[in-house]
Amino acid sequence: NAGVTQTPKFRVLKTGQSMTLLCAQDMNHEYMYWYRQDPGMGLRLIHYSVGEGTTAKGEVPDGYNVSRLKKQNFLLGLESAAPSQTSVYFCASSYTGGFMEQYFGPGTRLTVT
Amino acid sequence: GENVEQHPSTLSVQEGDSAVIKCTYSDSASNYFPWYKQELGKRPQLIIDIRSNVGEKKDQRIAVTLNKTAKHFSLHITETQPEDSAVYFCAASYTYSGGGADGLTFGKGTHLIIQP
């Protein structure tokens, strides 16, 4: 099993450009999450999904959109990138909700200039 | 929503000594408290967790204690080794206000440095 994978690993964008980050899991997990990690800020939840076809906002959703068309994939989109979105993005998944271990992907380092 | 406070932000200990990291939470409904370890440039990984019906849990050199009345929980690492150097995150479960689903709120992390 590959677990949780993320594509790409690194990306540099110019302000105003768009991009999509892909998260895939092969553990048949229902829940998937997108977090951003900034120095001294811990892991902050952007959006999450409790199953195929569902999405919901987390703590810091502004400037991001998500889609979960297939159970194994969770996409994070930036429509118009801003320097404030420079961060490391982690995807995670869990079998069910908050009472189960979350498995994290390797992260995507995004720089917006 | 849930608020998790973690202290200290940086902890430096001599190799072989013990390290203690403390967290407090605000939501009395929280009942699952995991600890994640993140090495430099790597993904967070679960090292130990505890549920609210248990006061203490041990796994070799690491242990977690939970005081539900005081709403705090702690990570204890004994006989620290160089490979324990990492950032440690505590987390507490809570119910998302928007979707009624459950998730985790993370503390801001503790950078543990093991001095040789």
Side-chain angles (χ1 to χ4, degrees), chain A residues 20-105:
Chain A
T20 300
L21 282 68
L22 171 63
C23 176
Q25 53 94 5
D26 61 2
M27 296 176 282
N28 200 33
H29 285 171
E30 291 294 334
Y31 282 50
M32 297 187 75
Y33 316 82
W34 276 108
Y35 294 93
R36 60 177 289 172
Q37 184 175 39
D38 303 292
M41 297 297 291
L43 292 155
R44 293 185 292 168
L45 184 68
I46 304 171
H47 286 280
Y48 66 99
S49 168
V50 302
E52 180 179 313
T54 75
T55 64
K57 294 180 180 180
E59 179 186 355
V60 288
D62 294 343
Y64 305 95
N65 56 75
V66 288
S67 65
R68 183 115 180 255
L69 299 179
K70 293 182 178 181
K71 185 178 183 178
Q72 62 268 33
N73 295 338
F74 195 29
L75 278 64
L76 178 70
L78 286 73
E79 292 185 345
S80 179
S84 61
Q85 294 177 304
T86 293
S87 187
V88 179
Y89 292 86
F90 285 99
C91 174
S93 71
S94 63
Y95 184 64
T96 57
F99 311 108
M100 301 289 287
E101 177 181 358
Q102 290 188 14
Y103 293 82
F104 284 82

